[in-house]
Amino acid sequence: MKFGKVDHPGDIEFTLPSTHKQTEEVLKDFKKSEFKDVRVGCAKWNRTDLKNFYPRGTKDELKYYSTQFNSIELNASFYRMFPSEQFEKWEEKAEGDFKFFPKVPRIISHIKRLNDTERLTDDYVTNLLPLKDKLGMCFLQLRDDFGPKNMDRVEAFFKHWPREIPLSAEFRHADWYKNEAAADDLNDLMKEYKITHIITDSAGRRDLLHMRLTTDSAFIRYNGANHESDYSRLDDWLERLEEWYKLGLKNVYFFVHQNVEEASPLLSAYFIEKFNKRFNTDLKIPKTLN
């Protein structure tokens, strides 16, 4: 993920903002008990990006990846409308209790900008169905120039989206965050339609750390900077997740990106090991070769 990349990450103040009062209000409606679902993964599975991860002789990258991680942020679905047969092949290759978190195609989000996209959305959702139980939460990412003036399109999209398939959304236009009225309207809408508000932790866009949960799920896109601070930032996230866990958080979807992706498995393994110790979970710690 090159989004939010900076030349000198050591100059960035990485302290996480305080939890927004909305998060406490949302989570108070949920019983404080164990997590229902925890997924930690990378954004890609191909050998070119994840260097030094696959053992020599690995023939099927997705198959092996799914033996080490329990999920993947499926960015491939952003670039084209894959047919149902492709999702069926991925479902067959993935091992065990694995889940895909597919990104809504850019023809819907970026090219048509949510305008007149009902049929495309229906086709996309239909094509996803062969993933069966391996279909996790889908996510919609809007363009940097898609601002609050387009709120009516957002509402129409949320209204049309099938309730049976969990959806999350990432908003990148700065006005969604610096305009308090727009932020409140957006979050009220997401709560109404039970859409999870993605939190993106990137060096160059600290405003996306809104810390406003809209459901009982935290979907976090963590973008490391290939810098020594990457690990301490993960420690901070563990502290924050524990805070939310005590408030009633039920699901954690945490996907690790890097400016240079080859370090993603190392960061993920570190995060999973620390997560297991803190929350007494037994997520598999992926093997790394360096």
Side-chain angles (χ1 to χ4, degrees):
M1 181 195 281
K2 300 299 188 291
F3 175 76
K5 182 180 179 180
V6 298
D7 292 331
H8 303 288
D11 297 337
I12 301 297
E13 172 53 63
F14 282 115
T15 302
L16 294 177
S18 300
T19 295
H20 193 279
K21 63 181 180 180
Q22 175 183 296
T23 295
E24 299 179 13
E25 294 169 357
V26 167
L27 294 181
K28 72 181 181 182
D29 294 331
F30 300 97
K31 184 179 179 181
K32 299 174 181 61
S33 60
E34 295 181 355
F35 286 121
K36 289 194 300 185
D37 195 26
V38 178
R39 304 282 166 173
V40 181
C42 300
K44 301 177 181 179
W45 69 64
N46 62 74
R47 192 189 308 263
T48 301
D49 291 295
L50 300 187
K51 296 176 182 178
N52 300 319
F53 173 66
Y54 293 99
R56 181 174 297 177
T58 299
K59 295 182 179 179
D60 193 308
E61 296 162 4
L62 174 57
K63 187 177 182 66
Y64 178 77
Y65 175 95
S66 69
T67 68
Q68 301 302 305
F69 289 95
N70 67 5
S71 55
I72 184 79
E73 187 187 272
L74 187 58
N75 283 278
S77 60
F78 175 70
Y79 296 101
R80 57 173 291 196
M81 291 278 287
F82 284 103
S84 59
E85 291 79 8
Q86 182 60 67
F87 289 103
E88 183 177 10
K89 290 178 182 178
W90 286 333
E91 190 278 336
E92 292 172 350
K93 288 184 177 183
E95 299 277 335
D97 179 33
F98 187 86
K99 287 191 182 296
F100 296 87
F101 287 69
K103 193 172 186 178
V104 173
R106 63 182 175 180
I107 189 172
I108 294 172
S109 60
H110 284 49
I111 297 174
K112 295 183 73 67
R113 299 168 63 90
L114 302 188
N115 186 40
D116 190 26
T117 58
E118 290 81 5
R119 186 168 182 174
L120 282 169
T121 299
D122 291 344
D123 288 346
Y124 169 64
V125 169
T126 299
N127 291 346
L128 287 176
L129 297 181
L131 288 177
K132 303 175 186 176
D133 292 341
K134 291 185 173 70
L135 174 58
M137 179 178 282
C138 296
F139 73 102
L140 170 73
Q141 178 196 95
L142 281 309
R143 293 165 51 121
D144 299 18
D145 60 359
F146 187 96
K149 68 179 181 180
N150 298 299
M151 179 71 85
D152 58 333
R153 296 187 187 183
V154 176
E155 182 169 11
F157 184 84
F158 288 170
K159 186 176 182 179
H160 185 77
W161 185 265
R163 300 282 79 81
E164 300 81 9
I165 298 179
L167 178 67
S168 58
E170 179 189 69
F171 295 82
R172 291 186 168 184
H173 194 294
D175 284 351
W176 292 113
Y177 307 101
K178 68 181 182 181
N179 184 318
E180 187 173 346
D184 289 343
D185 288 345
L186 175 62
N187 279 271
D188 287 344
L189 187 69
M190 297 184 81
K191 288 190 292 181
E192 177 184 353
Y193 287 97
K194 296 180 172 54
I195 309 297
T196 296
H197 198 168
I198 290 174
I199 298 172
T200 301
D201 186 345
S202 181
R205 286 295 305 274
R206 308 308 288 166
D207 56 328
L208 301 189
L209 289 163
H210 52 80
M211 298 300 175
R212 300 179 70 164
L213 299 189
T214 50
T215 67
D216 60 350
S217 301
F219 192 131
I220 298 152
R221 305 185 77 209
Y222 176 86
N223 185 17
N226 298 99
H227 182 263
E228 60 185 10
S229 61
D230 291 348
Y231 290 90
S232 60
R233 289 168 61 196
L234 289 175
D235 292 336
D236 291 344
W237 267 113
L238 289 165
E239 292 285 343
R240 183 55 51 87
L241 290 172
E242 182 172 9
E243 175 190 335
W244 293 348
Y245 173 75
K246 291 177 180 177
L247 292 173
L249 182 67
K250 290 292 173 285
N251 307 302
V252 175
Y253 307 131
F254 198 99
F255 295 101
V256 177
H257 300 249
Q258 284 275 275
N259 294 331
V260 180
E261 290 288 2
E262 65 182 270
S264 296
L266 289 171
L267 283 179
S268 301
Y270 175 88
F271 183 80
I272 292 171
E273 182 176 11
K274 296 278 188 174
F275 192 99
N276 283 342
K277 290 179 180 178
R278 183 175 292 254
F279 297 104
N280 196 30
T281 50
D282 61 352
L283 302 176
K284 179 169 183 176
I285 302 171
K287 298 176 182 177
T288 55
L289 303 181
N290 58 342

